[in-house]
Amino acid sequence: MSATELIRRGTRLPCRPVPRHVLAPEDFARLPAALVMQPSLALLSLWAEPAMLHAAFLDEADGTLLLASTPAESGHYPALSTARPSAVRFERMIHDLWGLEAVGGLDLRAWLDHGRWPLTLPMAARPARNGARPEQPTFLPVEGEGWHQIPVGPVHAGIIEPGHVRFTVQGELVVRLEQRLGYTHKGTLGLMLGKSPRTAARFAARLSGDSTVAHSLAFAEAAEAASGTTPPPRALWLRAAMLELERLANHLNDWGAICNDASFTWLHAQCGLLREGLLRAHLDAFGHRLMMDRVIPGGLATEPQPSGIAAILAALAAVESALPGLVSIYEEHASLQDRVVGTGVLAPALAAGFAVGGVVGRASGRGFDARVAFPNGPFSGGPPTMAVRQEGDVDARVRVRLAEIPESLRLIRRILATLPPGEIHAPLPQKGGEGLALVEGFRGEIVTWMALDDGGLIRAVFPRDPSWLQWPLLEAAMEGNIVADFPLCNKSFNCSYSGVDL
């Protein structure tokens, strides 16, 4: 029996747009072996509630979504990491927050909990006070002569989020990279519980500040699916434009930062100038440079100013005018190409095995884009053209971004030129339900699941940032490179710390 058939045998519960299937523990125990036999069933996300485990899958053979759950009253569940290594960090997070143990899991070390929380298992039914002294983090051991370990962080020289990176090296050659995150844990899931989606939307907007539109949109779409709400067409069109504006600003920022880490500061400055023009246009149109808190469940919080729309179009024209010359300079400087070509290669087989999305996945041969696979609103009338490369190096990740910039310019202009009139918000009814949403942010697809109680308040929620699947692959991409290439590899992935620290 295939994993798909096994999941669909479970008790079917209503969830939009796909039902959720609850498997008996003995059936869920058969799932890892079935997943090994069905490599096309990609793990998208793994999360929990007290005494209940949930998993989201994508069948890449036919593009269908599947949701599976199993009771875990005993505090245990069969590990999925034996069949899907991408489950490892989810399983560690689930143990830290809910206290559920993945039996047979590949890695059972703590992830978010560094031993400094006042409570242990904060999302469990009965959290306990933490009276133990914090322990030192444990890393994979290294033995033999000529090996060295270099600890970096969690505090870094630049103004970036905190995270610890442990290099194992021979000379300058990196043979292992291991990450320790969780320093920006905010208790976001607990803060959302018991609140209305409209109130909790502010927490979603702050999961990862550079993806505030994408996370807000995924949260809003999950709430709308759970409550059976359809936003007005004008709101759908404006949301899509805002999503592409956020993608455009971040792609410019990443491109410039990658060049800066290769000591090519001029391109960094030029990209920063173009991005600044976009952010100022966002402020003119929506009252916030990052458009934070503008996407809300049911639609939008504010109508864009006409002068701001004109500012956006002018900023788009500036990007379009400058882009060919900047690309030419990027391609023609041998010293820059020497740093990015062949550096930090992520093998397509690893990208496929982890079902990694976004620029990281598409630069390593995995052609998935939620705007194409599950188009809605204006995307259903003309989705973007995917740029897919096979090289998997820093340069390939740059070139995917460069191919997506003109597509975003085209989409934004088309959307703004065809904006339908009307309202920008529809209220959510106070009713129960479950919903799932996939939104293609600039890093990749965000997967948000939400369950509302009968009063329309959040009973459970889990927003999965693309970085959950990308961080482990950065470790793999660094193997065989030199320490000095880490900034290039790290920035070309540009994973979010805050997005996975919750």
Side-chain angles (χ1 to χ4, degrees), residues 258 261-262 339-340 343 394 484-493:
I258 291 167
D261 284 335
R339 293 296 310 279
V340 298
T343 300
V394 172
D485 282 336
F486 175 71
L488 278 169
C489 297
N490 188 34
K491 193 59 192 178
S492 70
F493 272 67

Side-chain angles (χ1 to χ4, degrees), residues 181-198:
L181 306 181
Y183 295 95
T184 56
H185 177 70
K186 305 166 286 296
T188 301
L189 302 183
L191 291 170
M192 289 179 172
L193 296 185
K195 295 181 173 63
S196 69
R198 180 66 182 89

